[in-house]
Amino acid sequence: MPFTRIALRAGKPVQYRKALTDSIQRALVATFNVPKDDIFMLISEHDAANFVYDNQYLNVQRTDDLVMIQLTVSNTRTLEQKKALYQRLVDELHESPGLRREDVLISLVEVVKENWSFGNGIAHYAL
């Protein structure tokens, strides 16, 4: 049920982008109990003029390797699960594709379950 948007600077090879999506999916499966085949992700690449960030906000030293990850999820996770996801995500992304932990920005967007339709005009999670 997560819908993931990944934004990064243009120019990374396809293997790098694949490592991003694989790492994010592993973290979601491990911490949010997402089924392995529940994967919906978009990657957008941006030139320098269209990839704007502060390289030291909150005393985190970021580089141009910054990856911004926005996850739209159902509002069913606990604070502990969210913290576990953040940690697992940076660990997975550090392992492969080798991102610095400081270069991972994560944003969760929580929606109620009836706000999902996976096709055919059906509200799949509506009670």
Side-chain angles (χ1 to χ4, degrees), residues 52-65:
V52 181
Y53 66 94
D54 186 292
N55 66 355
Q56 58 185 351
Y57 180 69
L58 296 178
N59 294 317
V60 178
Q61 303 301 311
R62 294 169 195 83
T63 71
D64 284 344
D65 286 331

Side-chain angles (χ1 to χ4, degrees), residues 32-77:
F32 272 24
N33 302 315
V34 170
K36 288 183 183 193
D37 63 345
D38 183 356
I39 182 167
F40 299 92
M41 297 188 188
L42 293 176
I43 299 174
S44 60
E45 297 181 88
H46 306 271
D47 61 26
N50 294 306
F51 194 74
V52 181
Y53 66 94
D54 186 292
N55 66 355
Q56 58 185 351
Y57 180 69
L58 296 178
N59 294 317
V60 178
Q61 303 301 311
R62 294 169 195 83
T63 71
D64 284 344
D65 286 331
L66 176 66
V67 174
M68 298 185 203
I69 302 166
Q70 182 181 55
L71 298 153
T72 302
V73 300
S74 294
N75 63 344
T76 58
R77 290 357 185 275

